Amino acid sequence: QLQLVESGGGLVQPGGSLRLSCAGSGFTLDYYTMGWFRQAPGKEREGVSCLSSSDGSIYYADSVKGRFTISRDSAKNTVYLQMNSLKPEDTAVYYCAARRITTSQLMCQLTMGDYWGQGTQVTVSS
């Protein structure tokens, strides 16, 4: 069974940090372009950051550039999203996704995914 499982969400104060993890099972994440997306209440799901499987290119949404970092650990079959300098507007459910053949920019801008995780809540509040 192909599955993505996110973890690492929680409650953090503004300016704090969190690291989200997305573990894959049943398939090798290295062969997929991987992405992190988020959805806040009443808003559409948006692409936060995507990492291409072919050339390693990375896309970041303007709202997170300089604060978030996407990476993958092939040995652990896991993708991470390091989030620093968190703001209240970063509050959302965060999802990871895998897409077989696409660029990082397309995946994030068009919110594309073949497989999706169940999501993890991130709340930034004092």
Side-chain angles (χ1 to χ4, degrees):
Q1 184 178 1
L2 306 181
Q3 195 173 11
L4 294 172
V5 179
E6 302 100 334
S7 61
L11 173 64
V12 63
Q13 293 187 342
S17 298
L18 283 175
R19 188 178 79 157
L20 305 183
S21 299
C22 173
S25 62
F27 64 119
T28 302
L29 300 189
D30 280 355
Y31 300 138
Y32 290 77
T33 294
M34 298 299 299
W36 285 97
F37 300 80
R38 67 186 180 187
Q39 188 165 19
K43 294 187 177 181
E44 292 187 352
R45 190 171 298 187
E46 62 174 352
V48 174
S49 182
C50 295
L51 172 59
S52 172
S53 60
S54 58
D55 61 4
S57 61
I58 295 175
Y59 171 91
Y60 290 105
D62 288 343
S63 57
V64 306
K65 280 181 182 176
R67 300 188 299 123
F68 290 11
T69 303
I70 190 171
S71 63
R72 68 167 89 220
D73 185 330
S74 299
K76 295 183 178 180
N77 206 33
T78 298
V79 174
Y80 302 98
L81 184 68
Q82 177 67 44
M83 306 187 295
N84 299 328
S85 303
L86 283 161
K87 305 175 181 180
E89 51 264 43
D90 294 318
T91 296
V93 178
Y94 283 71
Y95 301 87
C96 71
R99 176 82 174 181
R100 188 65 179 90
I101 300 175
T102 188
T103 67
S104 55
Q105 183 172 351
L106 278 178
M107 183 178 184
C108 263
Q109 290 184 336
L110 300 181
T111 315
M112 299 191 298
D114 296 328
Y115 305 103
W116 290 85
Q118 82 288 351
T120 185
Q121 176 71 46
V122 172
T123 302
V124 185
S125 175
S126 55

